[in-house]
Amino acid sequence: MSPLPEAELVRSSVQLYRYLLRCCRRLPAGPVQQHYRHAVRQSFKVHADEDDPERIQQIIKRAIEDADWVMNK
């Protein structure tokens, strides 16, 4: 099960970015939330030049799985 029900609707990098920031809002306020928000932003910047559709889908799938793990932790 995904951390938020919208996970199945994520198809693009912008949708993923918004989804992950929404997940961060559900984390405890303070350093933990700030850490993951920063990590999401940095990852988005690192992968901004990715243009291979298959690789983008792999990144989206992995990011959702990682978000699920963090939210259940």
Side-chain angles (χ1 to χ4, degrees):
M1 175 157 178
S2 300
L4 293 176
E6 301 93 39
E8 297 82 27
L9 303 176
V10 174
R11 298 282 182 252
S12 71
S13 55
V14 174
Q15 290 173 332
L16 176 65
Y17 183 72
R18 292 181 68 203
Y19 171 79
L20 293 174
L21 290 179
R22 283 191 196 105
C23 287
C24 287
R25 285 190 222 143
R26 297 180 67 197
L27 295 171
V32 172
Q33 193 178 62
Q34 290 174 351
H35 169 77
Y36 284 107
R37 285 175 56 106
H38 178 74
V40 168
R41 287 184 179 124
Q42 287 302 106
S43 293
F44 187 77
K45 289 178 185 177
V46 167
H47 296 292
D49 61 345
E50 189 66 56
D51 58 359
D52 179 19
E54 185 176 318
R55 175 71 178 131
I56 292 170
Q57 290 307 311
Q58 289 174 346
I59 293 169
I60 290 171
K61 183 177 182 285
R62 179 60 192 252
I64 291 172
E65 290 170 358
D66 290 348
D68 189 27
W69 181 83
V70 168
M71 299 300 287
N72 288 327
K73 188 170 111 170

